[in-house]
């Protein structure tokens, strides 16, 4: 959910387990994986007995449920052995399920590990630590230039087809549509607000569908 991110984001957050003045650098990663930030923080919370480590990852309205699940897990863990492992797993699943519900995302179970998300997300997280966004811009610009040139070239070399050559026309359309969609997605990403960490509620989702 990305070892580089974990090292930069979650570790920075956990550097001050006392809470006061903690550096809240959120690791952007797959939150439903066993190596992701949510489960990693859950492990630390259970070991330290401090539920506050995971509460920022759930909505305020869900805090009571997480506190209750945490207290139950802490009590059961004292039995040791398989009971401890089961208690940990149940708390991880509860926390991830509630967190994803807060984002408006479905819970489909815990995943073993995160896929490689490429260089952009680690660069974005490192920028928060370093206080400089230039590396993120460089990574994004390189990816945009490469993708745009490839899509543009694929469409450009096919655009001059004979009117009656339907096969050639279809090849052009097959290249033109991805080219336009690529540009459209870039423009939408750059010109519209990103979703927040927690879903804003059903009304926000409905409003989005109406546009």
């Amino acid at each position: 959910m990305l070892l580089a991110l974990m090292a930069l984001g979650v570790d920075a957050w956990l550097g001050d387990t006392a809470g006061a003045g903690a550096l809240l650098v959120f690791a952007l990663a797959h939150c439903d994986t066993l190596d992701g930030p949510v489960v990693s923080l859950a492990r630390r919370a259970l070991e330290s007995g401090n539920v506050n480590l995971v509460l920022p990852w759930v909505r305020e309205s869900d805090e009571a449920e997480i506190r209750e699940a945490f207290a139950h897990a802490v009590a059961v863990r004292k039995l040791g052995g398989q009971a401890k492992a089961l208690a940990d797993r149940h708390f991880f699943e509860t926390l991830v399920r509630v967190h994803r519900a807060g984002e408006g995302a479905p819970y489909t179970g815990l995943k073993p590990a995160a896929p490689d998300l490429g260089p952009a997300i680690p660069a974005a997280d490192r920028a928060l630590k370093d206080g400089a966004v230039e590396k993120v811009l460089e990574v994004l610009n390189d990816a945009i230039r490469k993708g745009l040139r490839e899509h543009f070239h694929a469409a450009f070399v096919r655009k001059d087809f004979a009117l009656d050559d339907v096969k050639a026309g279809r090849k052009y359309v097959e290249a033109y549509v991805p080219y336009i969609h690529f540009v459209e997605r870039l423009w939408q990403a750059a010109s519209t607000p990103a979703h927040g960490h927690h879903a804003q509620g059903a009304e926000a989702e409905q409003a989005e569908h109406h546009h």
Side-chain angles (χ1 to χ4, degrees):
M1 143 116 257
L2 197 63
L3 294 178
L5 278 170
M6 296 301 300
L8 291 172
V10 173
D11 285 354
W13 187 357
L14 294 176
D16 180 0
T17 55
L23 180 60
L24 299 181
V25 179
F26 291 87
L28 299 176
H30 284 282
C31 297
D32 59 353
T33 60
L34 290 171
D35 63 345
V38 176
V39 173
S40 295
L41 284 166
R43 295 184 198 277
R44 292 289 295 271
L46 288 170
E47 292 299 325
S48 66
N50 186 0
V51 70
N52 290 332
L53 289 171
V54 299
L55 292 182
W57 291 82
V58 299
R59 295 173 297 188
E60 185 177 358
S61 59
D62 295 320
E63 181 176 323
E65 180 180 356
I66 296 305
R67 286 186 177 276
E68 181 179 355
F70 182 80
H72 179 75
V74 168
V76 174
R77 291 177 100 242
K78 296 177 181 178
L79 300 175
Q82 186 177 9
K84 180 176 180 292
L86 291 174
D88 287 2
R89 180 79 182 196
H90 182 264
F91 180 64
F92 298 160
E93 291 175 342
T94 301
L95 178 62
V96 171
R97 173 180 56 78
V98 171
H99 165 73
R100 288 184 66 79
E103 293 184 321
Y107 173 65
T108 57
L110 292 177
K111 309 300 188 301
D116 180 7
L117 298 183
I121 292 177
D125 202 35
R126 182 178 292 278
L128 291 175
K129 181 180 180 182
D130 296 343
V133 76
E134 283 70 21
K135 182 61 178 179
V136 185
L137 290 171
E138 179 183 333
V139 170
L140 292 176
N141 284 336
D142 287 347
I144 290 171
R145 280 193 292 264
K146 181 176 182 295
L148 184 58
R149 284 177 176 142
E150 289 177 353
H151 284 296
F152 169 79
H153 180 74
F156 182 77
V157 298
R158 292 171 173 81
K159 72 181 183 66
D160 295 323
F161 58 89
L163 180 62
D164 295 325
D165 191 343
V166 176
K167 183 177 180 179
R170 286 182 178 137
K171 285 186 176 297
Y172 169 65
V173 172
E174 288 173 359
Y176 171 80
V177 172
Y179 166 59
I180 294 300
H181 283 178
F182 183 80
V183 174
E184 179 185 29
R185 289 198 308 271
L186 289 174
W187 174 251
Q188 289 177 343
S191 61
T192 58
H195 293 297
H197 175 62
H198 297 308
Q200 299 300 315
E203 63 274 10
E205 183 178 351
Q206 292 173 357
E208 181 177 350
H209 286 309
H210 286 310
H211 288 294

